[in-house]
Amino acid sequence: MDRPALRERVRYRFDDWMSRGTIALMLLLGAATAVFVVILAVVVYVVHAYPDDASSADFLDVLWGNLMRTLDPGTMGGDSGWGFRALMLVVTIGGLIIVASLIGIISGAFDSKVEELRKGRSRVLEKDHTLILGWSPKVFSIVSELAIANESRGRSAIVVLAARDKVEMEDAIRAEAGKTGRTRVICRSGDPMNLNDLELGSPHDARSIVILASEGDDDPDSTVIKTALALTNNPNRRDDDFHIVAELDDPANLEAARLVGRDETHWVLASDLISRVTVQTCRQSGLSVVYTELLDFGGDEIYFTEQPTLVGRTYGEVQSAFATSTVIGIATGVHAAPGAPASSVAVNPPADTVLAPGDQLIVIAEDDSTIALAAPVAPERSAIVAPRPADARPEHTLVLGCNSGLVMMLRELRDYVAPGSTVRVVAPGDCPELPALGGLDITVERADPTSRRVLDALEVYRFDHIIVLAEKDALPAQRADARTLITLLHLRDIAERHDVDLNVVSEMLDDRNRELAEVTNADDFIVSEKLVSLMLSQVSENKLLADVFATLFSSEGSEIYLRPADDYVQPGVTVDFYTVAEAALLRGETAIGYRVAADAHDAARAYGVHVNPPKAAGVAFAPGDRVIVLAEN
């Protein structure tokens, strides 16, 4: 550390313990003590009031004696000579006043500092930490995920700055997030939009910054954008670019947000993300489990790795170069010099795409330490099934409930389904004005989806897909989830009475309610708060992941699909995953895992989802099993 930085750090350490006003008062008291002692010593020396009525004395001895009597009243017990005793009594009384004042100042400073620490109003002195600005239930998931991600870093820190009581935040995080290992969680109370309060979190020394929409805010997007503005336009900001990731709710605010955040901020559209995942998942059960596996830090995640020995080989060839990792794309220009073209990512590029010098492979791995090259293994081509054209047919979707994400959901659904598809929306209240979407026939009916009579009249078993939306715009989270649970219970009973399988996907607001909802045997659950939290955590660790997820969650480019396993390999035949990957490559796809239908409702077995399985391990697919691939729609 250079000397200016060291001096600055020492100064903040000192100021963190005692305010400058307190220090000035102590210095003033010390100066007054010195003057008082010197004056009394001069008086003693002038009037010759020496001990034992002596005719002379050394001035320095008198000065030293006065100082000792000031600090310790017991020192005058052995004095003799009434003149000397009278003057020393004055010294002793003055000393008592001075010492009492000093103790009062120090005690007051100590109490003030304790209160300030309790309120979280001191500046943190961490470096290379993750700073979270704002407070919402997402904080708990983000802290838990970052603590897992930081395990390989050693000691690290997460700082939370929000307009809440410090002790309350610490207690809530301790209760909801649990133990964080070697990652320290530090809370500070302050307004992230205030430049002075913002300094409490040391944003200029942070590795990454996460901005959350505060809970209960009437206009959360404005708050988030203003917080980003306080960072990027701070007059005391650092010279290097910030790494900021922030959430927005309304896509209409994205343009203004980009003007504020420039290239330093990555914006996560929460409602847009949930709508896209819901649409993709309703057409293929188990997809949300795959997304959760890729987004959290507990299992397999997406990493970037540079492998110089593979330069010159094609994307198809590098698929077999790893035994415990799965290659899903190529990133170019990651370490480009200033002024050079920006980095770009290609997910599931054509198999003949050549890896160039400086390119990085995008891989799914358990940890970056497990990414290692292995000897290629030839696939069992005799077990591969020849590609068959898929017939596109109209799909009929039932939407039970309504919220602000419905419009985006319908637009996204239109991009996936064949012409002639229909959507029937049944909601208890008014829905937002729905646009006319060519190729998708939309009807809206006002009724209560929690009513058994309404569900029976709908003949829900005639629909290909059923989406149960949380009424989050009109109801609190717990009440909205309770209504969702009632609807799901009715749907399960209808399925059992008619002996049919309903393809039901439900949106839950609180992850804790998912365990309760699993008794309904719904095919999938979209936990909105958790998915957004995981997305924010991932991008805060690696900004390049924003481009990868933008591709996966969009109808343009390659997305994740769960397709029948017997379209790739012969059913009942034991094959390794090298063979499955080769079968996918022949279709212009990238295989990243599979799902076992028999475990689809078993939470202990990850609902049958296996992402990035060991390629050498054998597996025999049964009817209903799926291969998880990256492919064009």
Side-chain angles (χ1 to χ4, degrees), residues 261-274:
R262 300 193 290 270
D263 296 333
E264 299 177 90
T265 307
H266 299 276
W267 300 96
V268 175
L269 290 171
S271 58
D272 181 82
L273 172 65
I274 300 305

Side-chain angles (χ1 to χ4, degrees), residues 297-554:
F297 289 99
D300 292 85
E301 305 93 52
I302 299 176
Y303 295 94
F304 292 75
T305 178
E306 189 168 349
Q307 299 290 339
T309 59
L310 298 180
V311 170
R313 299 176 65 176
T314 65
Y315 176 74
E317 291 173 338
V318 301
Q319 286 291 318
S320 60
F322 300 88
T324 59
S325 303
T326 302
V327 181
I328 64 171
I330 297 175
T332 60
V334 176
H335 301 297
S343 61
S344 62
V345 300
V347 177
N348 185 39
D352 58 358
T353 302
V354 178
L355 188 67
D359 289 351
Q360 291 191 358
L361 293 174
I362 309 172
V363 303
I364 300 175
E366 183 177 358
D367 189 73
D368 53 359
S369 61
T370 64
I371 303 173
L373 296 175
V377 176
E380 185 63 43
R381 297 186 179 275
S382 61
I384 297 177
V385 176
R388 297 189 295 263
D391 296 329
R393 64 176 184 83
E395 302 175 23
H396 306 287
T397 304
L398 173 63
V399 180
L400 300 174
C402 181
N403 57 39
S404 57
L406 181 61
V407 174
M408 172 60 69
M409 195 177 302
L410 295 177
R411 285 177 175 156
E412 190 74 8
L413 184 62
R414 188 266 312 269
D415 294 336
Y416 286 104
V417 298
S421 298
T422 65
V423 175
R424 188 172 182 179
V425 180
V426 179
D430 294 331
C431 286
E433 184 177 352
L434 303 180
L437 300 175
L440 189 62
D441 182 23
I442 304 172
T443 59
V444 179
E445 177 181 339
R446 187 164 184 172
D448 187 359
T450 64
S451 169
R452 179 57 178 266
R453 180 180 56 82
V454 170
L455 295 176
D456 286 336
L458 289 172
E459 297 182 332
V460 295
Y461 45 82
R462 298 187 182 277
F463 290 88
D464 298 308
H465 319 296
I466 301 175
I467 301 174
V468 183
L469 291 182
E471 300 169 23
K472 56 187 176 183
D473 299 331
L475 299 173
Q478 295 303 323
R479 189 176 172 190
D481 280 354
R483 288 180 56 84
T484 299
L485 283 169
I486 294 172
T487 303
L488 291 175
L489 288 170
H490 284 315
L491 291 175
R492 185 189 70 171
D493 186 61
I494 292 173
E496 291 175 350
R497 287 177 181 271
H498 291 270
D499 193 23
V500 294
D501 290 328
L502 298 180
N503 181 13
V504 181
V505 173
S506 173
E507 178 186 11
M508 305 296 294
L509 301 179
D510 192 332
D511 190 45
R512 293 170 295 184
N513 293 326
R514 174 173 180 150
E515 295 182 5
L516 298 175
E518 285 174 356
V519 302
T520 64
N521 290 331
D523 289 88
D524 225 328
F525 299 95
I526 309 299
V527 185
S528 51
E529 293 283 349
K530 185 171 183 179
L531 274 178
V532 175
S533 301
L534 296 178
M535 182 78 161
L536 292 169
S537 302
Q538 286 282 348
V539 178
S540 73
E541 289 295 293
N542 188 340
K543 64 180 69 177
L544 291 175
L545 287 173
D547 295 331
V548 176
F549 291 129
T551 301
L552 295 180
F553 293 130
S554 172

Side-chain angles (χ1 to χ4, degrees), residues 56-226:
S56 64
D58 184 74
F59 180 78
L60 293 179
D61 287 341
V62 174
L63 186 64
W64 177 255
N66 287 356
L67 179 61
M68 292 300 99
R69 288 170 175 80
T70 302
L71 300 177
D72 181 11
T75 306
M76 68 172 293
D79 292 341
S80 60
W82 286 107
F84 183 73
R85 286 175 178 173
L87 290 174
M88 292 305 101
L89 179 61
V90 174
V91 172
T92 301
I93 294 174
L96 287 173
I97 296 173
I98 292 171
V99 171
S101 301
L102 182 61
I103 293 174
I105 292 172
I106 295 176
S107 177
F110 181 81
D111 292 342
S112 175
K113 181 51 59 178
V114 169
E115 181 64 18
E116 184 177 340
L117 291 174
R118 194 199 71 80
K119 292 181 178 179
R121 296 296 300 171
S122 60
R123 173 176 171 172
V124 299
L125 301 174
E126 305 300 323
K127 288 183 177 293
D128 199 36
H129 58 284
T130 299
L131 174 61
I132 301 175
L133 301 176
W135 182 268
S136 78
K138 299 183 185 71
V139 167
F140 310 127
S141 296
I142 293 174
V143 168
S144 297
E145 292 300 315
L146 292 179
I148 297 173
N150 289 337
E151 287 178 355
S152 59
R153 278 199 181 97
R155 290 190 61 83
S156 53
I158 300 171
V159 177
V160 181
L161 174 64
R164 293 174 65 95
D165 182 76
K166 171 183 180 291
V167 176
E168 290 180 2
M169 289 191 289
E170 290 175 341
D171 290 344
I173 291 174
R174 192 178 301 111
E176 297 292 337
K179 296 181 179 180
T180 57
R182 291 185 291 179
T183 299
R184 295 188 303 125
V185 180
I186 305 168
C187 295
R188 289 292 182 266
S189 296
D191 183 0
M193 295 181 290
N194 184 293
L195 292 180
N196 293 327
D197 288 356
L198 192 59
E199 294 297 324
L200 299 177
S202 296
H204 314 297
D205 297 321
R207 180 176 72 252
S208 62
I209 301 174
V210 179
I211 306 177
L212 298 177
S214 295
E215 187 178 21
D217 198 329
D218 295 334
D219 190 3
D221 284 1
S222 297
T223 301
V224 171
I225 292 173
K226 188 175 179 181

